[in-house]
């Protein structure tokens, strides 16, 4: 039982886990179960990253994907509160024949991708790229990527905030500077929201 | 000199502030911005003038200018244009006229336009106009000059159509725009020719090269001079492009005063004066300039005799006075021409503003038949109008006399025919001015003089008084423009020539007095000859002529050409693209999954193409 | 009052919170050195004062007679209505309860019955160990309640003062009791 | 003894120690709280009550293993395992003493943060699967709270990383030979302590399981050993937070030579555990919005300032 | 270091996961599932980057992975915000019904 064998064993078993979990994920009817499998898939991906000599990416995968992004999903699923109804609905939305065309498409694409992978002799072995190297390159030549990422996240933040808020406060008129600072009490805001809903109902 | 750039920038800044306020600025503040930018520009001009004179007195060559290069503007191949300003005596005098008279007219307008709902918009346009005009006169190259040239055209268009809700004003604005465009096209072609022949657009360099490369009387300078003259004629409302100016009176009166009397319409004079070396190379062009001026001044004088709208009378008189300037240019009396430009700017602005006061006092009544006997009711406008009229008639010792007399003398020197026409024009000027004075202020119609009301605001009278004072004494000024232009010849005509030039206007006044106030010699009254009256009232039928010659054939041609075969090609394109649109829009079915599947299929195709070829 | 805002005030508030938290922490920590109040009950009996409100008893007067006169005041005072009784008389004219029943599974040991009792018959004792395996056993009858003694009021006997003729003692023979007025006499 | 055997022994010892230590902590906490509240606490079972945990465990094991009929059973069962798993896994990277410790990961600190961030799943899945409104509210609160506090928990540690120049926790300890990081990184330690308390949702940041409002929050429906796993998980995370503070700010096992390194590590950890119990015993629970605004408006800027200032000082 | 085969197989794994995610996007009608499947696709792309970076021993792969993660996070934030909005407005998150922008 050599180290290489052990290493490969872990790699292939995690790879199988990732594929199986993803497969289960796309076939689940219950959103929370699907998320659970997705988390398992991400965690096994993290292990694969570690095996590929990218510990930083592995930890980031857990912290960001599993620790933050998936939480958002769970959060939204809970807020939507779809319940049992959604499971039945999902079952109705997933007829067997609906799988044929997508599966063929994906299979063809997969075959092409694998075929296009080329000969492996160009590739060298696994290299360890540590946190320090990544940091030096990230804040050196790739500084623009950091800036872009921050802009992207800011845009996402603003967009998500704007989209998910429940009602918009009344827009102040020009020159009516006072209205910026007048706090709108909760009851007023609720009334406004109610009015809006009534109007929507009429429309 | 280093703050020369401030002069056009300040009005532009005012324009920017006003246009960014998008009409929400309170009137008081808009007024401050509108007037303040021009006034600051005027002060800058004064400072620049002191510097200019100081430099001139320190042995600088007379006539040489200062070039202030700001930044490279257009760099394309051989063409290398700087955004640079040029200051010499000519542009300095123009600066005085534009900023000085401009400031006074802005002050006046702040009172005149007070009740208008679009107060801010008015000052926005006015500031933009002043900026463009300053750019025009300060430009160091012809392209920059053309920029200002078109800028003032735009502002003129905007301001004539200021009260755009009345379709008549819109038509007038459009007419002015289109007619001046005809001249501008000629100007632009002239520019291209200059660039092709001389390889430069820097004015000073062009002028030097032109005199170096061309002989007097060669074809090319003649052609270029005539094209430039076309531009000048369009802008300055001379024959044959004069028809837009009377209609331009549809704009607010301060606009008429500033743009259509004092500054913009004299841009043509400035252009010819600026490029005079080119004109000097072509005696034909010079004769043409003089002839155009002469004919225009006569036609406009006759037309002015028979107008009932106070502003149209003044508009025709403006045309006539610019005719004098062209005449002066054509007879090489350059400095007299610019001097007349300046004095005319003063007294014509005065006349227009006074007319504006009268119009305002009569609740926007412009028909002189409904005025009369206003001498007592409107004392300040009366005296101001009197002084302005005296200047216009060129009675000694007003400034009009000192500027017009040299023109007459110079015309005599070149050709007595020019002199005779000019004197006849002066005679006509005296008659129609007297007529206007009498009908507005002296002659009491049946039913007594009309009701007037005191206009609100303190801004109306001080500019009038200042302009009146300036009009009286401006003849004593030494004009810096003289430095920049070749000196006129010393004239020594016979004495009777000079005396005739002084006396004939007096005769005209007497005739006007007899005919219009005493109501004698009614046979001389043009109003009694029906056909002639109509002909004159319609500006010698030029509008009809252009309509028949240009507009109608064009419209007919367009109508005939409406359904020709060529249209099938664009129509076919339209049909084909519509069909394609219907076909492809079926794919845009709003189904996300369909889109993704399409993308995946496309990815498969691209990858297989990459792999298997 | 104007609401205070601004960064300075916020920072002050932060420090104020931290300071108060530290004070609280120290206050609690200082209890490390104080003695625990807990009594290890089954091993170590707690000291209960006589006025402790525990199990209810019915006392007897010094002569060994029941004090309760079945006046029903305790039952009407009881907030949980756990007392029930029925009056009767013996041959000597004494009033007493035919039955007297307290349901201790309802009783809240408030002591209002004790306060209401005019004869010091019903009293609360420091006994609290009343656990039972069956609920029915919590219902105490008179014989369960009665004790042989005067409880917290030794030497008090209601009938000594009551002015009622019982057990051969006629009216006017009680302690501090005047002779009854002879309505037929004209003397004051 | 081969190295493999030594490693396995290490793993087993630490696992046993952690789990039983956490279980003991339930008893310790009750006793300590008793002292501070002038009570005695559990002292009957065994000498001084030390066998209380055995009794508790027997009780919990004997309880009916109840899965509510309306729950999502798969997720319901998995949630407590996650709770237990992530905290125990996080313990793997803590260097207890030279030679003691499961693994020396070169991204140990990040691994710790990763495991902490996974802890929220236990809460959310437990809350979701219970199909109980209190549990759901508690779960959403917990998710929001933990995700928020994770942010500056990570940020507060970056100052230490800058000073030590490594994510390897053993290296972090060794780099504290000249002085504990609590002195230069006082603010970081403070923030990390608060964030750690919030992450293990203990009083005063126990909003997700606030008894007064939400019965027991996300584990309302849990009982028996599943409840015990949540419960023990919480105590393991207390231990873990204390151990992390010890490692990162208090010099880990470093101390005078008269006692073994393990002693120093345990001493510091236990003192910190006691401090966290003291905090639980003294401070009141804030309102939920106060908790969130405290996190985002006070702790986050503070940790960013700490980060920037530390970075500047390190660069200088 | 280790056998080169593993890199190759990591690419194959990435391809498999990508295609699985694609299938998910194509099949599911629930917007939440579509977003989840998208995450899988992004993850697969990240894996490919990491594997390439590992093969060449360069940090660039991990940098690109970081960019992918950022993209995923921003996308999820906005996507889920939209999901909530749609659910509130139409009381449905069926993407087949959300075809008001069709041509």
């Amino acid at each position: 039982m050599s180290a290489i064998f052990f290493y490969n064993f872990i790699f292939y078993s995690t790879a199988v886990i990732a594929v199986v979990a993803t497969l289960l994920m796309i076939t689940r009817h219950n959103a929370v179960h699907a998320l659970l499998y997705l988390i398992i898939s991400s965690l096994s991906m993290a292990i694969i990253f570690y095996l590929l000599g990218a510990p930083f990416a592995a930890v980031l995968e857990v912290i960001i994907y599993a620790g933050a992004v998936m939480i958002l999903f769970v959060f939204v699923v809970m807020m939507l509160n779809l319940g049992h109804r959604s499971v039945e609905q999902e079952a109705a939305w997933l007829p067997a024949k609906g799988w044929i065309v997508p599966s063929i498409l994906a299979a063809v694409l997969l075959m092409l991708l694998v075929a296009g992978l080329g000969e492996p002799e160009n590739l060298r072995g696994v290299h360890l790229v540590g946190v320090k190297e990544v940091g030096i390159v990230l804040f050196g030549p790739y500084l623009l990527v950091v800036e872009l990422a921050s802009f992207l996240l800011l845009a996402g933040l603003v967009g998500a905030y704007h989209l998910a808020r429940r009602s918009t406060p009344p827009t102040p008129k020009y020159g009516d500077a006072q209205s910026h600072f007048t706090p709108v009490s909760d009851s007023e805001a609720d009334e406004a929201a109610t009015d809006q809903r009534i109007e929507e109902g009429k429309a | 000199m280093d703050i020369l750039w401030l002069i056009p920038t300040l009005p532009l800044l005012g324009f920017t502030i006003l246009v960014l306020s998008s009409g929400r600025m309170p009137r008081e503040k808009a007024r401050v911005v509108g007037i303040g930018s021009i006034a600051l520009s005027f002060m800058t001009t004064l400072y620049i003038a002191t510097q200019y004179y100081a430099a001139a007195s320190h042995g600088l060559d007379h006539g040489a200018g200062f070039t202030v290069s700001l930044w490279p503007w257009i760099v394309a191949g051989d063409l290398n244009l700087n955004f640079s300003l040029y200051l010499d005596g000519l542009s300095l005098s123009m600066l005085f006229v534009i900023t000085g008279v401009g400031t006074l007219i802005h002050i006046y307008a702040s009172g005149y336009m007070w009740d208008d709902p679009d107060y801010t918009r008015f000052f926005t346009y006015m500031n933009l106009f002043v900026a463009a005009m300053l750019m025009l006169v300060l430009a160091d190259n012809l392209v920059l000059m053309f920029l200002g040239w078109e800028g003032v055209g735009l502002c003129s268009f905007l301001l004539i159509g200021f009260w755009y809700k009345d379709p008549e004003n819109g038509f007038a604005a459009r007419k002015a725009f289109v007619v001046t465009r005809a001249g501008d096209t000629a100007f632009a072609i002239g520019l291209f020719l200059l660039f092709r022949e001389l390889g430069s657009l820097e004015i000073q360099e062009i002028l030097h090269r032109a005199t170096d490369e061309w002989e007097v009387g060669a074809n090319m300078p003649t052609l270029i001079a005539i094209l430039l003259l076309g531009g000048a004629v369009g802008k300055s409302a001379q024959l044959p492009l004069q028809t837009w100016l009377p209609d331009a009176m549809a704009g607010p009166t301060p606009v008429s005063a500033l743009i259509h009397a004092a500054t913009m319409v004299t841009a043509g004079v400035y252009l010819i004066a600026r490029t005079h070396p080119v004109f000097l190379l072509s005696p034909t062009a010079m004769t043409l300039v003089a002839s155009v001026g002469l004919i225009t001044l006569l036609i406009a004088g006759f037309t002015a005799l028979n107008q009932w709208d106070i502003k149209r009378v003044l508009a025709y008189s403006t045309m006539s006075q610019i005719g004098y300037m062209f005449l002066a240019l054509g007879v090489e009396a350059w400095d007299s021409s610019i001097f007349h430009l300046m004095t005319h700017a003063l007294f014509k602005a005065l006349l227009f503003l006074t007319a504006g006061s009268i119009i305002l006092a009569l609740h926007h009544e412009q028909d002189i038949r409904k005025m009369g006997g206003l001498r007592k009711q409107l004392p300040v406008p009366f005296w101001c109008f009197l002084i302005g009229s005296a200047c216009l008639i060129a009675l000694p010792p007003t400034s009009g006399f000192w500027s017009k007399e040299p023109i007459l003398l110079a015309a005599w020197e070149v050709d007595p025919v020019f002199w005779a026409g000019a004197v006849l024009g002066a005679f006509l000027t005296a008659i129609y001015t007297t007529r206007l004075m009498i009908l507005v202020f002296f002659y009491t119609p049946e039913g007594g003089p009309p009701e007037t009301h005191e206009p609100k605001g303190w801004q109306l009278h001080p500019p009038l008084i200042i302009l009146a004072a300036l009009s009286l004494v401006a003849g004593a000024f030494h004009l810096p423009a003289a430095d920049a232009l070749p000196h006129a010849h010393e004239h020594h005509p016979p004495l009777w020539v000079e005396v005739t030039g002084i006396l004939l206007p007096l005769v005209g006044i007497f005739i006007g007095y007899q005919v219009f106030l005493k109501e004698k010699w009614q046979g001389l009254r043009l109003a009694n000859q029906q056909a002639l009256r109509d002909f004159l009232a319609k500006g010698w039928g030029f509008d009809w002529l252009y309509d028949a010659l240009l507009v109608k054939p064009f419209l007919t041609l367009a109508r005939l050409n409406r359904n020709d075969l060529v249209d099938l090609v664009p129509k076919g394109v339209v049909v084909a693209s519509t069909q394609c649109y219907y076909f492809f829009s079926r794919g845009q079915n709003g189904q996300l999954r369909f889109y993704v599947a399409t993308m995946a299929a496309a990815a498969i195709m691209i990858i297989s193409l990459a792999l298997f070829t | 009052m104007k609401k205070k805002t601004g960064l300075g005030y916020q920072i002050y508030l932060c420090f104020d919170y931290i300071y108060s938290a530290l004070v609280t922490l120290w206050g609690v920590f200082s209890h490390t050195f104080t003695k625990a109040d807990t009594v290890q009950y089954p091993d170590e009996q707690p000291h209960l004062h006589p006025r402790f409100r525990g199990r209810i008893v019915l006392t007897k007067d010094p002569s060994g007679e029941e004090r309760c006169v079945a006046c029903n005041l305790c039952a009407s005072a009881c907030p949980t209505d756990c007392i029930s009784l029925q009056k009767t008389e013996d041959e000597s004219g004494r009033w007493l309860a035919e039955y007297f029943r307290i349901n201790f599974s309802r009783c809240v040991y408030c002591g209002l019955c004790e306060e209401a009792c005019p004869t010091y018959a019903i009293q609360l004792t420091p006994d609290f160990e009343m656990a039972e395996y069956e609920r029915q056993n919590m219902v105490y009858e008179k014989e369960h309640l009665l004790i042989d003694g005067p409880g917290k009021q030794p030497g008090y006997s209601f009938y000594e003062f009551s002015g009622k003729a019982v057990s051969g003692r006629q009216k006017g023979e009680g302690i501090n009791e005047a002779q009854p007025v002879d309505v037929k006499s004209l003397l004051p | 003894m081969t190295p493999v055997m030594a490693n396995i022994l290490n793993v087993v010892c630490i696992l046993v120690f952690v789990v039983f230590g956490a279980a003991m902590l339930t008893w310790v906490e009750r006793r300590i709280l008793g002292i501070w509240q002038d009570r005695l606490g559990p002292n009957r079972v065994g000498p001084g009550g030390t066998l209380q945990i055995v009794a508790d465990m027997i009780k919990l094991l004997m309880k009916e293993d109840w899965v509510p009929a309306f729950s999502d059973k798969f997720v319901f069962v998995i949630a407590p395992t996650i709770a237990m798993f992530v905290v125990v896994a996080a313990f793997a990277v803590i260097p207890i003493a030279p030679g003691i410790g499961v693994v020396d990961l070169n991204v140990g600190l990040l691994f710790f943060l990763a495991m902490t961030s996974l802890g929220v799943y236990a809460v959310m899945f437990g809350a979701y699967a219970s199909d109980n409104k209190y549990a759901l509210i508690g779960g959403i609160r917990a998710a929001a709270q933990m995700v928020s506090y994770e942010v500056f928990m990570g940020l507060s540690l970056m100052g230490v990383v800058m000073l030590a120049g490594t994510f390897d926790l053993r290296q972090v300890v060794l780099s504290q030979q000249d002085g504990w990081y609590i002195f230069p990184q006082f603010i970081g330690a403070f923030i990390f302590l608060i964030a750690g308390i919030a992450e293990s949702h203990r009083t005063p940041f126990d909003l997700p399981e606030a008894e007064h409002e939400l019965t027991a929050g996300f584990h309302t429906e849990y009982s028996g050993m599943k409840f015990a796993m949540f419960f023990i998980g919480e105590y393991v995370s207390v231990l873990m937070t204390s151990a992390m503070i010890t490692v990162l700010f208090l010099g880990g096992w470093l101390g005078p030579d008269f006692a073994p390194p393990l002693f120093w590590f345990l001493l510091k950890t236990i003192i910190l555990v006691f401090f966290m119990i003291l905090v639980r015993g003294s401070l009141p629970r804030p309102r939920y919005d106060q908790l969130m605004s405290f996190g985002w408006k006070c702790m986050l800027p503070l940790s960013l300032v700490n980060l920037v200032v530390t970075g500047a000082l390190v660069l200088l | 270091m280790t056998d080169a085969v593993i890199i190759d197989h990591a690419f194959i794994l990435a391809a498999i996961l990508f295609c699985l995610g694609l299938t998910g996007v194509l099949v599911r009608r629930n917007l939440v599932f579509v977003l989840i499947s998208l995450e899988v696709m992004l993850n697969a792309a990240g894996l490919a980057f990491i594997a390439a970076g590992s093969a060449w021993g360069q940090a660039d792969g991990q940098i690109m992975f970081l960019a992918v993660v950022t993209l995923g996070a921003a996308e999820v934030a906005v996507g889920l915000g939209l999901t909530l909005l749609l659910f509130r407005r139409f009381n449905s998150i069926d993407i087949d019904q959300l075809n008001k922008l069709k041509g």
Side-chain angles (χ1 to χ4, degrees), chain A residues 77-90:
Chain A
V77 169
M78 280 170 136
M79 281 171 86
L80 294 177
N81 199 12
L82 300 169
H84 306 291
R85 184 167 59 95
S86 73
V87 176
E88 291 151 21
Q89 194 183 32
E90 281 296 320

Side-chain angles (χ1 to χ4, degrees), chain D residues 124-205:
Chain D
M124 292 201 75
F125 284 141
Y128 158 77
S130 301
D131 208 355
N132 175 315
K133 66 184 95 166
Y134 295 120
L136 191 68
I137 295 170
I140 288 180
R141 276 188 183 186
Q145 175 181 329
M146 293 177 78
V147 170
S148 311
Y149 276 72
E150 221 164 71
V151 173
F152 49 85
M153 183 180 207
L155 284 176
S156 69
L157 296 183
M158 290 307 131
V160 170
V161 174
M162 281 184 199
L163 291 176
T166 175
F167 284 116
D168 189 337
L169 290 171
R170 204 167 280 276
Q171 299 300 320
V172 171
V173 175
L174 289 175
S175 65
Q176 296 182 62
Q177 296 276 14
D178 302 330
W180 294 353
Y181 284 149
I182 189 157
F183 301 114
Q185 283 295 308
F186 177 73
I187 297 173
F190 175 68
I191 294 166
F192 182 74
L193 176 69
I194 288 177
I197 293 173
E199 280 289 303
S200 52
H201 29 83
R202 284 173 56 81
T203 327
F205 298 122

Side-chain angles (χ1 to χ4, degrees), chain D residues 49-298:
Chain D
T50 41
L51 292 182
Q52 182 68 38
I53 44 163
V54 181
D56 282 347
M57 208 172 290
I58 290 168
K59 178 197 79 175
L60 289 167
L61 282 172
M62 298 289 277
K63 270 195 168 179
E64 184 180 0
D65 192 14
W66 169 251
V67 179
F70 39 77
S71 66
D72 189 336
K73 292 181 183 58
F74 171 59
V75 182
F76 189 82
V77 174
I78 250 177
T81 15
I82 298 175
M84 195 69 186
F85 166 76
V86 290
V87 280
V88 173
F91 244 101
V93 291
I94 291 181
I96 294 171
I100 307 179
V102 178
V103 64
D104 291 336
L105 219 49
N106 58 354
V107 286
L109 191 57
L110 291 175
F111 183 81
F112 163 76
L113 288 174
M115 287 302 127
T116 322
S117 67
L118 287 183
V120 68
Y121 283 114
V123 174
M124 292 201 75
F125 284 141
Y128 158 77
S130 301
D131 208 355
N132 175 315
K133 66 184 95 166
Y134 295 120
L136 191 68
I137 295 170
I140 288 180
R141 276 188 183 186
Q145 175 181 329
M146 293 177 78
V147 170
S148 311
Y149 276 72
E150 221 164 71
V151 173
F152 49 85
M153 183 180 207
L155 284 176
S156 69
L157 296 183
M158 290 307 131
V160 170
V161 174
M162 281 184 199
L163 291 176
T166 175
F167 284 116
D168 189 337
L169 290 171
R170 204 167 280 276
Q171 299 300 320
V172 171
V173 175
L174 289 175
S175 65
Q176 296 182 62
Q177 296 276 14
D178 302 330
W180 294 353
Y181 284 149
I182 189 157
F183 301 114
Q185 283 295 308
F186 177 73
I187 297 173
F190 175 68
I191 294 166
F192 182 74
L193 176 69
I194 288 177
I197 293 173
E199 280 289 303
S200 52
H201 29 83
R202 284 173 56 81
T203 327
F205 298 122
D206 62 343
L207 272 302
E209 48 194 82
E211 296 91 346
H212 311 114
E213 310 160 35
L214 301 173
T215 60
F218 59 87
H219 52 56
T220 303
E221 296 287 346
Y222 281 91
S223 68
M225 272 320 281
K226 290 201 280 295
F227 168 75
M229 285 173 91
F230 273 125
F231 199 62
I232 300 294
E234 188 181 317
Y235 283 97
V236 177
S237 85
V238 169
L239 268 183
M240 191 180 67
T241 308
S242 308
M244 276 310 284
I245 296 175
T246 308
V247 167
L248 292 170
F249 298 104
L250 297 178
W253 66 79
L254 301 173
D257 278 338
F258 60 82
L262 186 60
F263 170 77
W264 292 115
F265 183 85
L266 289 180
L267 180 70
K268 291 167 189 171
T269 310
I270 286 168
I271 288 173
L272 281 169
V273 168
F274 278 18
F275 180 74
M276 286 173 77
I277 294 169
L278 176 63
V279 167
R280 177 185 172 169
S282 350
L283 296 183
R285 182 188 299 139
R287 225 167 47 215
Y288 187 66
D289 59 322
Q290 288 171 339
L291 174 83
M292 295 305 278
S293 65
F294 176 70
W296 285 110
K297 293 181 188 165
C298 190

Side-chain angles (χ1 to χ4, degrees), chain A residues 17 38 43 53 86 102 116 154 158 166 169:
Chain A
I17 290 173
L38 181 55
L43 291 182
S86 73
L154 182 66
V158 173
R166 209 164 259 286

Side-chain angles (χ1 to χ4, degrees), chain B residues 428-482:
Chain B
L428 287 172
T429 309
I431 295 178
Y432 69 69
T433 313
T434 314
R435 169 175 173 266
L436 191 62
M437 274 304 289
I438 286 167
L439 286 182
V440 173
F441 288 109
F442 292 97
Y443 174 77
T444 312
E446 293 165 30
E451 293 278 316
T452 60
H453 76 280
E454 193 63 25
K456 279 171 272 180
W458 53 267
Q459 296 99 333
L460 292 181
H461 287 160
L464 296 184
I465 294 165
I466 295 172
L467 278 173
L470 283 175
S471 303
L472 277 178
V473 301
F477 289 166
H478 169 71
L479 200 64

Side-chain angles (χ1 to χ4, degrees), chain C:
Chain C
M1 198 181 84
K2 203 177 165 206
K3 199 175 170 187
K4 280 188 186 171
T5 51
L7 192 60
Y9 186 69
Q10 298 289 329
I11 291 172
Y12 162 73
L13 274 187
C14 276
F15 280 105
D16 196 42
Y17 288 147
I18 291 169
Y19 173 73
S20 73
L22 288 177
V23 166
T24 316
L25 283 176
W26 173 251
V28 175
F29 184 72
S30 65
H31 277 261
T32 318
F33 311 108
T34 55
K35 200 173 159 294
D37 294 331
T38 311
V39 177
Q40 303 270 47
Y41 156 63
D43 305 336
E44 183 188 329
Q45 286 298 331
H47 174 252
L48 301 178
H49 294 273
R51 288 196 297 178
F52 185 89
R53 298 200 299 260
R55 183 167 60 92
I56 299 173
V57 293
L58 288 174
T59 56
K60 293 180 176 172
D61 59 17
S63 60
E65 299 291 329
E66 292 175 27
R67 272 176 174 158
C68 177
V69 294
C71 65
N72 249 331
L73 281 176
C74 56
S76 61
C78 181
T80 59
D81 291 339
C82 67
I83 304 174
S84 66
L85 66 158
Q86 175 66 50
K87 188 210 120 184
T88 185
E89 278 183 40
D90 65 1
E91 55 281 2
S92 66
R94 261 182 99 102
W95 289 19
L96 47 95
E98 185 183 3
Y99 64 88
F100 195 105
R101 199 175 286 152
I102 296 180
N103 185 352
F104 278 109
S105 56
R106 294 177 68 128
C107 178
V108 293
Y109 307 100
C110 61
L112 288 177
C113 49
E114 189 179 20
E115 284 180 26
C117 186
T119 65
Y120 295 126
I122 191 163
Q123 290 183 8
L124 274 70
T125 62
D127 180 19
F128 59 90
E129 294 163 315
M130 302 172 68
E132 294 287 348
Y133 283 104
E134 278 194 43
R135 201 164 281 164
Q136 197 53 40
N137 294 345
M138 294 298 281
V139 181
Y140 281 42
E141 294 294 339
K142 190 167 144 187
E143 56 269 28
H144 305 122
L145 294 167
L146 269 177
I147 60 167
D148 277 333
K152 285 178 270 188
Q153 300 290 334
Y156 176 78
S157 175
F158 171 69
Y159 283 105
E160 294 291 323
F161 307 93
S162 67
K164 182 172 167 49
V166 290
S167 330
R169 190 180 69 245
Q170 294 307 310
K171 283 185 184 254
E173 290 174 8
I175 299 165
N176 289 340
E177 189 181 1
Q179 283 299 317
V181 175
D182 182 6
V183 294
K184 293 172 184 163
S185 154
L186 292 171
L187 288 171

Side-chain angles (χ1 to χ4, degrees), chain B residues 493-512:
Chain B
L495 187 64
W496 65 271
V497 171
E498 291 186 33
V499 171
T500 316
I502 300 169
L503 280 184
L504 217 51
L506 294 174
V507 175
I509 293 171
F510 178 70
I511 293 173

